[in-house]
Amino acid sequence: MDKVLVFVEIKGDGPRKVSLELLCEAARFAQNGRFSVEAVCIGRLPDAARDKLLSYTEKLVHFTDPELAVYSPEGYARALAGYAREGGAKMVIAGATGIGRDFLPRVAVLLETGIASDVTGANWLNEPMTFVRPMFGGKVFAEVVFSTSPVILTVRPNSFAMGEAQEKGGEYIEKTAGISPDTIHTKVVRVEEASRDTVDLTEADLIVAGGRGLKAAENFNLIEELAGAIGATVGATRSVVDAKWREQADQIGKSGKTVSPKLYIGAGISGAIHHIMGMDTSKVVLAINRDPNAIIFNYANYGIVGDLFEVLPAMTQELKKRKEG
Amino acid sequence: MDILVLIKQVPDPEALVEIGSEGKDLNIEPKFAINLFDEYAIEEALKIREAHGGKVKAITLGSAKAIEALRTAIAMGADEAMLIEDEGFAAGDGYNTALVLSRALEKEMFDIVLCGRQAIDADRGEVPQMIAQFLGLPHVGVVVKLDIADGKTVAESAFEGAKEVIEVALPAVFTAQKGLNEPRVPLITGVMKAMKVQIPKLTVEDLGLTRDMAGPGGSKTKILQYLPPKKRPAVQFIEGEPAHAAAEAVRILTEVERVI
Ligand SMILES: Cc1cc2nc3c(=O)[nH]c(=O)nc-3n(C[C@H](O)[C@H](O)[C@H](O)COP(=O)(O)OP(=O)(O)OC[C@H]3O[C@@H](n4cnc5c(N)ncnc54)[C@H](O)[C@@H]3O)c2cc1C
């Protein structure tokens, strides 16, 4: 059986959603008995996260070296590449998160193989396997094939469906990678976690984004209230970030984040190509703009031509009414 | 501080990109620019030189035309530039690009390597980390702040929501993210100088590599075909007074699309 390693990432007390998506997808394509899947966690692993992971995988390998307690690209790459080599893994998969995209290219070099980054689709059962990934900000997609082994992938969050947790728990194995401190040349001095408790844009299922049509920073409360009513994360255009109405972390688009939610609501956004590039893989798009010719309507499933100062509060109110009713 | 900036000439962000010959290649409107994120890298290199002295050298792997990107770097203020001219490697995968560039870097003296966090054509975001691994150097990715003082180098990395402050031993590789600085616009004197300057060229053979390594047999990954993005059906406008349209939108999202 071909061994597949899924690197799982921990955030707070639990695994990241994309890690579970990948374990579910791997379990699905492993059903034909050709693959065996292992989850690999490096560093901090709270009990709750471990228990949750064990209900999504048959085997969880945890690297516990003190040198790997905090993330470092050098340390993580060595540990993951070392384990892949030792077990003869045929595939190493991670989420295309900040960390995944940061250290998986190093894993590829250590294993003298290629990598496909930010994959959004896969033909796992093709011979050879092929992977689809966006280029030019999603203007085109490339179907990529590997000529070397193992296959290394980072996969965009929300690309594969979540499955159900299993009743019977998997096997848990602790290991050390034998990383010596002098192989790591970076030291994390401080981490400033984002001050909010909502899901990060890149992993969010629901997003409400606002543009310059909001007219002032304080009017973003209309966006926040609608987002609050459905549990969505707030996004913004570059113009709004440059005007300091919102933080850089909220920017969607070519020079910001790429998002792939189930629902993207955009209000007061013109639909400049640079913005579209960051959100065009969203499943359902609702655009609100008072200009019937706004370009964003070309990239939307639903459109409301109207004043966002009327439409947004009315939507929030309707949602509240439905909740109560 | 000797700083190398690795830059890439890419199609202009506005350039039309179309799929040609049944998915086998791309027809790209011939408008070019320096990769957006590389401009932050160049600016940061110039700032470090202004504060600490040293020299800034811009390097690119590309076709003969990519020399334009190097001239822009010189116009902005880089001291030197070098073109590694090879279309095959330039069009290849991340591994091969990183291999060529790391070989070139082995021949250079440097304290800092600055790159953009991602090239906006292939959107891979792989090469700087791979170069660091090839050379056995540390890297800090997605950098929004870089401080060098009292022999210490501290970078701020903006991974998604969180910000990490990281101390790193030089030499090291950094990848520049928007927010790091405001790239300067070249002065006319800089442009004049850039037009005249002789830019040395290397071939991959000069770096101990062979051209066939970039061919179909030599690369680790290759593109089988290009595919168009999934087309969204034409927009459906929700008509009526704002309050009515809003209520209808909520109904559709809840009952038809079932996304909320
Ligand atoms: C290299 C480069 C990179 C870029 N990267 C990004 C990026 O990553 N992300 C990004 O977003 N942009 C990016 N941009 C900028 C982009 O080109 C646009 O300028 C920006 O997205 C426009 O933001 P906006 O839609 O908020 O503002 P505008 O274009 O000003 O649009 C405002 C919209 O609000 C509508 N409006 C106004 N009042 C109301 C109202 N009362 N009710 C309803 N609608 C109203 C208007 O009709 C208009 O359509 C980049 C640009 C460049 C050159």
Side-chain angles (χ1 to χ4, degrees):
Chain A
M1 266 198 289
D2 288 349
K3 193 189 255 192
V4 177
L5 303 182
V6 176
F7 169 74
V8 295
E9 216 176 300
I10 307 299
K11 193 173 185 184
D13 289 332
R16 290 191 66 155
K17 196 173 104 216
V18 64
S19 302
L20 299 180
E21 287 166 6
L22 293 177
L23 287 175
C24 293
E25 179 66 11
R28 274 190 290 269
F29 73 68
Q31 264 168 14
N32 64 2
R34 246 181 68 196
F35 305 98
S36 69
V37 182
E38 290 180 19
V40 181
C41 180
I42 304 175
R44 196 179 68 88
L45 177 60
D47 290 351
R50 184 192 59 210
D51 295 345
K52 184 144 193 190
L53 282 167
L54 288 173
S55 64
Y56 282 89
T57 186
E58 283 173 11
K59 188 167 171 187
L60 169 62
V61 178
H62 178 204
F63 284 92
T64 55
D65 308 45
E67 288 74 21
L68 298 173
V70 289
Y71 171 69
S72 73
E74 290 167 297
Y76 272 41
R78 259 171 199 269
L80 189 57
Y83 186 61
R85 195 183 290 120
E86 174 191 314
K90 288 288 181 337
M91 217 185 322
V92 181
I93 315 177
T97 60
I99 284 179
R101 294 198 70 174
D102 194 53
F103 88 95
L104 267 287
R106 282 182 175 267
V107 173
V109 170
L110 285 167
L111 298 174
E112 292 176 55
T113 187
I115 180 168
S117 295
D118 206 18
V119 163
T120 56
N123 301 301
W124 306 109
L125 304 177
N126 279 14
E127 194 57 61
M129 287 184 196
T130 64
F131 304 97
V132 176
R133 59 175 305 274
M135 293 174 67
F136 292 93
K139 279 194 222 168
V140 295
F141 286 72
E143 188 178 3
V144 177
V145 63
F146 284 71
S147 47
T148 47
S149 178
V151 161
I152 314 275
L153 307 175
T154 61
V155 177
R156 184 179 290 189
N158 291 341
S159 297
F160 294 110
M162 265 307 252
E164 298 290 315
Q166 301 298 310
E167 289 278 323
K168 101 177 161 34
E171 179 191 2
Y172 172 73
I173 298 165
E174 279 188 8
K175 272 186 173 291
T176 52
I179 305 283
S180 70
D182 58 3
T183 53
I184 299 171
H185 302 91
T186 52
K187 191 172 101 204
V188 177
V189 185
R190 201 167 71 237
V191 179
E192 294 166 20
E193 286 296 337
S195 51
R196 47 197 119 171
D197 42 14
T198 47
V199 193
D200 186 74
L201 276 175
T202 53
E203 276 191 299
D205 272 335
L206 306 170
I207 291 174
V208 184
R212 201 146 58 176
L214 266 298
K215 302 215 165 48
E218 57 273 20
N219 296 333
F220 256 83
N221 65 349
L222 297 177
I223 297 281
E224 272 164 7
E225 282 161 14
L226 176 56
I230 56 174
T233 303
V234 173
T237 62
R238 174 169 173 174
S239 317
V240 160
V241 171
D242 286 351
K244 305 249 185 304
W245 299 355
R246 299 297 298 185
E247 289 173 28
Q248 179 67 48
D250 291 353
Q251 186 183 318
I252 297 171
K254 180 140 221 155
S255 47
K257 288 178 178 168
T258 307
V259 302
S260 247
K262 282 199 204 114
L263 172 65
Y264 168 99
I265 300 177
I269 294 177
S270 59
I273 188 69
H274 305 104
H275 184 74
I276 299 299
M277 284 175 170
M279 52 62 75
D280 201 25
T281 49
S282 306
K283 303 224 164 53
V284 177
V285 174
L286 166 68
I288 303 158
N289 199 303
R290 66 174 178 197
D291 172 7
N293 297 318
I295 296 167
I296 191 148
F297 289 130
N298 297 344
Y299 300 92
N301 303 74
Y302 299 99
I304 298 178
V305 179
D307 185 352
L308 66 87
F309 290 94
E310 294 180 83
V311 177
L312 289 177
M315 281 185 73
T316 308
Q317 213 188 359
E318 175 68 18
L319 283 158
K320 285 196 178 138
K321 214 166 79 191
R322 279 181 173 252
K323 234 186 226 158
E324 287 157 11
Chain B
M1 289 281 160
D2 287 336
I3 307 152
L4 302 178
V5 192
L6 308 183
I7 66 175
K8 184 178 187 187
Q9 187 181 47
V10 295
D12 186 278
E14 321 283 338
L16 287 174
V17 178
E18 279 170 6
I19 298 173
S21 41
E22 293 173 355
K24 292 299 167 216
D25 52 36
L26 293 177
N27 299 326
I28 303 170
E29 193 185 348
K31 292 202 282 192
F32 296 93
I34 290 191
N35 178 43
L36 169 78
F37 298 105
D38 301 351
E39 291 186 7
Y40 301 115
I42 298 170
E43 176 63 35
E44 198 62 19
L46 298 174
K47 281 192 153 150
I48 297 169
R49 183 192 63 193
E50 281 157 13
H52 301 276
K55 90 183 182 322
V56 174
K57 179 168 181 174
I59 300 178
T60 195
L61 163 68
S63 64
K65 193 163 177 50
I67 208 153
E68 294 166 359
L70 295 172
R71 291 203 192 279
T72 308
I74 298 233
M76 283 174 78
D79 302 285
E80 287 174 38
M82 180 170 83
L83 171 67
I84 307 163
E85 191 181 337
D86 194 286
E87 294 208 29
F89 269 96
D93 65 0
Y95 189 98
N96 267 337
T97 304
L99 178 65
V100 173
L101 289 167
S102 59
R103 288 287 177 93
L105 264 51
E106 278 168 2
K107 296 178 184 261
E108 302 284 331
M109 302 282 281
F110 60 88
D111 304 289
I112 288 176
V113 179
L114 273 158
C115 316
R117 75 135 152 117
Q118 180 167 337
I120 63 165
D121 49 359
D123 283 335
R124 291 195 192 102
E126 301 160 0
V127 169
Q129 301 92 303
M130 287 179 141
I131 291 172
Q133 187 63 53
F134 272 120
L135 298 175
L137 297 179
H139 83 264
V140 185
V142 203
V143 170
V144 291
K145 194 158 179 246
L146 191 53
D147 279 324
I148 301 170
D150 311 326
K152 265 196 188 163
T153 305
V154 179
E156 236 177 78
S157 177
F159 280 141
E160 297 159 10
K163 242 184 217 159
E164 283 193 359
V165 181
I166 296 160
E167 199 180 309
V168 57
L170 299 183
V173 177
F174 300 89
T175 82
Q177 164 70 329
K178 173 175 178 269
L180 179 60
N181 52 45
E182 279 302 325
R184 66 194 66 185
V185 177
L187 297 174
I188 191 76
T189 45
V191 176
M192 304 278 279
K193 179 180 165 215
M195 280 187 327
K196 278 183 269 163
V197 78
Q198 278 288 329
I199 294 178
K201 291 184 189 177
L202 284 187
T203 63
V204 292
E205 284 85 0
D206 296 331
L207 300 170
L209 301 168
T210 55
R211 260 155 221 249
D212 56 322
M213 293 171 80
S219 45
K220 313 273 183 208
T221 66
K222 76 178 178 258
I223 295 175
L224 277 186
Q225 61 169 336
Y226 296 99
L227 304 163
K230 281 207 195 80
K231 263 251 175 279
R232 220 175 270 287
V235 61
Q236 225 174 297
F237 282 108
I238 304 170
E239 313 283 344
E241 288 302 302
H244 176 266
E248 178 60 7
V250 170
R251 187 192 68 80
I252 291 174
L253 298 179
T254 331
E255 294 171 17
V256 183
E257 298 289 351
R258 297 170 181 271
V259 285
I260 51 177

